[in-house]
């Protein structure tokens, strides 16, 4: 089998998605997600202008060799644009392999290790009461795990609190929106949220929280310690992770489990964190961390250090990524949990898929061949690219901060 064509599709059914389609001489094609929120066209160009010409004529079954061809062959290694482009190719090749062998991709990754993929949903509200009601909504929908975020008194906007509750979308049209931030107000308020949630929902429900890279290690230690009575499933991204050694300080102060890595691109971003057992869940995801080929290596390395997976699954990852994440999640031995932010009906219509939520807290990839996602190109063409950015964040005095 040979690759004869590879094309990049850009569509915006409410938000921008980049999708790679690789076609073969046997009529089988595969899809890969190449969406990098707020930097979409850079990946589209990287693929079209630099990688795809080198792909034509290759054997799509050579996932390992092709991965290294683009990783080593670039000379310029790593980085989100490079690794998202490589991920898209890798995903599409696994999709082709599955279709050619008439089996779901999870069978090529070791087969089923569990009956379903446990997911967590996003509950958010302007205040504790509203967030608590949203958690109740997820409990009614059968979720076993819920991430809770709440507005902070004195701050006009807070990360994770959206206008549309079910279809949370952080990117906005036009130039980047500016948010304001106060660590002091945040650290005082968050424990009250979880105290209320435990009082209302008891102790069985898994509760998660995302600090979105906004604390210093010692502040994260304080937050983790104050949340210990409410036994979170995890505290996510407490600190920006460029300085991996910084996480040791958090460990010295709290036993709240730490999840990290939604912005990681390669195993090297997490190597020290894993080897030194400084985190508990690795959130590296198929689209931004080099595809299934590389993510499986990260997971295997993590397993040695008792670290479980908890892949990023926000709405800026297309249904192609979600499908790949589910094939990965159902097969990987050290699976922990999968984030599941629902796509809008418009997005789901552009990307018809076989994965489904069972009403009991689990997603299932479906048993069809390949990844089980398609792209309706006629419908996609009705939604042209529309520039959008993630917000930026400033402290109350105007200092540029982490969003
Ligand atoms: C999450 C993430 C997202 C990101 C978004 C950025 O935990 O789901 O933090 O909400 O902010 O994916 O593009
Ligand atoms: Mg996050």
């Amino acid at each position: 089998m040979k690759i004869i064509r590879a094309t990049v599709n850009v569509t915006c059914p409410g938000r921008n998605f980049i999708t790679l389609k690789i076609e073969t001489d046997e009529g089988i094609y595969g899809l890969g997600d190449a969406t990098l929120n707020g930097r979409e066209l850079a990946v589209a160009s990287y693929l079209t202008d630099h990688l795809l010409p080198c792909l034509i004529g290759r054997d799509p079954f050579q996932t390992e060799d092709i991965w290294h061809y683009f990783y080593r062959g670039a000379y310029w290694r790593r980085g989100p644009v490079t690794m998202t482009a490589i991920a898209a190719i890798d995903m599409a090749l696994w999709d082709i392999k599955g279709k050619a062998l008439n089996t779901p991709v999870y069978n090529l990754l070791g087969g089923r290790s569990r009956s379903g993929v446990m997911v967590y949903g996003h509950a958010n509200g302007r205040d504790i009461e509203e967030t608590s009601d949203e958690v109740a909504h997820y409990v009614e929908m059968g979720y076993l795990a819920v991430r809770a975020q709440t507005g902070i008194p004195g701050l006009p906007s807070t990360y994770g609190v959206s206008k549309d509750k079910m279809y949370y979308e952080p990117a906005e049209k036009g130039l980047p929106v500016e948010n304001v931030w106060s660590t002091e107000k945040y650290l005082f308020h968050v424990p009250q949220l979880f105290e209320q949630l435990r009082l209302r929902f008891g102790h069985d429900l898994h509760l998660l929280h995302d600090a979105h890279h906004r604390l210093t290690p010692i502040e994260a230690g304080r937050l983790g310690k104050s949340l210990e009575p409410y036994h979170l499933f995890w505290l996510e991204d407490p600190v920006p992770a460029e300085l991996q050694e910084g996480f040791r300080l958090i460990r010295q102060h709290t036993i709240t489990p730490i999840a990290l890595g939604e912005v990681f691109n390669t195993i090297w971003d997490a190597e020290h964190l894993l080897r030194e057992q400084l985190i508990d869940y690795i959130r590296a995801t198929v689209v931004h961390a080099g595809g299934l080929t590389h993510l499986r290596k990260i997971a295997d390395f993590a397993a040695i250090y008792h670290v479980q997976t908890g892949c990023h699954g926000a709405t800026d990852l297309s249904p192609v990524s979600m499908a790949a994440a589910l094939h990965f999640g159902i097969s990987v031995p050290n699976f922990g949990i999968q984030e599941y932010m629902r796509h809008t009906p418009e997005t789901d219509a552009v990307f018809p898929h076989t994965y489904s939520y069972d009403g009991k807290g689990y997603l299932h990839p479906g048993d069809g061949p390949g990844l089980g996602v398609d792209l309706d190109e006629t419908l996609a063409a009705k939604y042209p690219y529309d520039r959008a950015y993630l917000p930026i964040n400033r402290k109350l005095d105007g200092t540029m901060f982490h969003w």
Side-chain angles (χ1 to χ4, degrees):
M1 195 187 289
K2 276 194 175 12
I3 296 169
I4 54 163
R5 196 174 304 113
T7 45
V8 171
N9 180 283
V10 182
T11 183
C12 186
R15 74 156 348 279
N16 292 308
F17 291 111
I18 309 294
T19 311
L20 172 66
K21 180 176 184 181
I22 298 181
E23 295 170 70
T24 67
D25 58 352
E26 294 186 17
I28 296 172
Y29 64 89
L31 298 179
D33 182 19
T35 309
L36 183 63
N37 208 357
R39 297 292 185 271
E40 296 87 0
L41 298 183
V43 186
S45 159
Y46 193 104
L47 280 165
T48 309
D49 297 325
H50 304 293
L51 302 196
L52 301 187
C54 309
L55 202 54
I56 308 306
R58 290 183 190 278
D59 173 357
F61 269 63
Q62 290 183 289
T63 42
E64 196 67 34
D65 181 71
I66 291 175
W67 194 93
H68 286 279
Y69 181 90
F70 288 120
Y71 182 78
R72 298 179 184 186
Y75 185 63
W76 314 106
R77 296 184 184 199
R78 307 165 63 185
V81 175
T82 297
M83 297 311 291
T84 302
I86 294 176
I89 292 174
D90 187 73
M91 251 182 269
L93 297 182
W94 282 101
D95 192 21
I96 290 172
K97 244 192 233 201
K99 287 175 178 168
L101 298 172
N102 195 27
T103 194
V105 167
Y106 64 71
N107 275 339
L108 308 176
L109 302 174
R112 281 178 175 275
S113 290
R114 55 195 54 78
S115 54
V117 174
M118 183 169 73
V119 292
Y120 70 90
H122 282 215
N124 66 84
R126 281 164 296 178
D127 54 30
I128 290 177
E129 208 187 328
E130 209 176 277
T131 301
S132 177
D133 289 346
E134 275 305 296
V135 172
H137 186 206
Y138 279 95
V139 170
E140 277 159 27
M141 289 190 288
Y143 281 72
L144 305 171
V146 185
R147 182 187 103 157
Q149 309 288 136
T150 184
I152 308 294
L155 295 181
S157 62
T158 311
Y159 162 76
V161 179
S162 73
K163 285 171 234 143
D164 190 322
K165 298 231 171 313
M166 196 44 95
Y167 306 113
Y168 171 67
E169 172 49 61
E172 293 201 38
K173 313 281 174 213
L175 296 180
V177 166
E178 302 212 353
N179 292 348
V180 286
W181 177 249
S182 159
T183 298
E184 297 74 19
K185 292 185 198 304
Y186 169 80
L187 286 180
F188 178 72
H189 197 65
V190 172
Q192 300 174 49
L193 167 67
F194 286 94
E195 184 184 11
Q196 291 306 315
L197 294 180
R198 281 293 174 220
L199 281 172
R200 178 164 174 189
F201 298 99
H203 290 275
D204 283 346
L205 183 66
H206 295 310
L207 293 173
L208 300 83
H209 181 70
D210 189 351
H212 220 249
H213 329 264
R214 289 169 183 207
L215 305 175
T216 63
I218 202 70
E219 289 164 349
R222 171 181 154 194
L223 180 63
K225 197 171 185 171
S226 63
L227 292 174
E228 280 172 16
Y230 319 117
H231 52 92
L232 264 55
F233 188 93
W234 77 36
L235 170 62
E236 176 181 337
D237 287 340
V239 176
E242 288 96 328
L243 180 66
Q244 298 185 22
E245 181 57 26
F247 284 74
R248 194 181 300 285
L249 194 53
I250 307 177
R251 282 294 207 218
Q252 284 161 359
H253 293 279
T254 182
I255 55 164
T256 292
I258 304 296
L260 209 68
E262 66 181 40
V263 300
F264 289 178
N265 315 128
T266 69
I267 199 164
W268 302 107
D269 295 323
E271 188 267 339
H272 187 75
L273 291 163
L274 295 171
R275 194 164 35 76
E276 297 293 319
Q277 300 183 57
L278 300 177
I279 60 171
D280 302 281
Y281 293 91
I282 179 78
R283 279 178 53 69
T285 189
V286 63
V287 58
H288 300 138
L292 289 164
T293 296
H294 194 61
L295 193 59
R296 190 58 206 246
K297 287 173 186 163
I298 296 177
D300 286 345
F301 184 66
I304 296 173
Y305 300 103
H306 306 285
V307 175
Q308 292 172 273
T309 65
C311 294
H312 190 201
T315 39
D316 46 294
L317 282 63
S318 90
V320 181
S321 273
M322 181 52 72
L326 295 176
H327 287 272
F328 171 80
I330 206 132
S331 61
V332 71
N334 52 327
F335 171 77
I337 200 166
Q338 168 66 47
E339 181 179 20
Y340 175 41
M341 278 165 85
R342 286 164 193 257
H343 288 110
T344 59
E346 291 77 14
T347 296
D348 282 344
V350 170
F351 297 95
H353 52 260
T354 60
Y355 65 79
S356 60
Y357 178 68
D358 66 5
K360 293 181 223 149
Y362 296 91
L363 270 174
H364 302 270
D367 298 321
L371 291 174
V373 188
D374 214 339
L375 172 68
D376 182 334
E377 293 181 61
T378 315
L379 191 55
K382 294 191 177 143
Y383 302 109
Y385 172 78
D386 198 358
R387 186 185 313 280
Y389 289 97
L390 290 170
I392 62 104
N393 204 18
R394 291 185 188 277
K395 289 188 188 177
L396 292 172
D397 70 356
T399 308
M400 184 70 189
F401 198 56
H402 318 285
W403 178 71

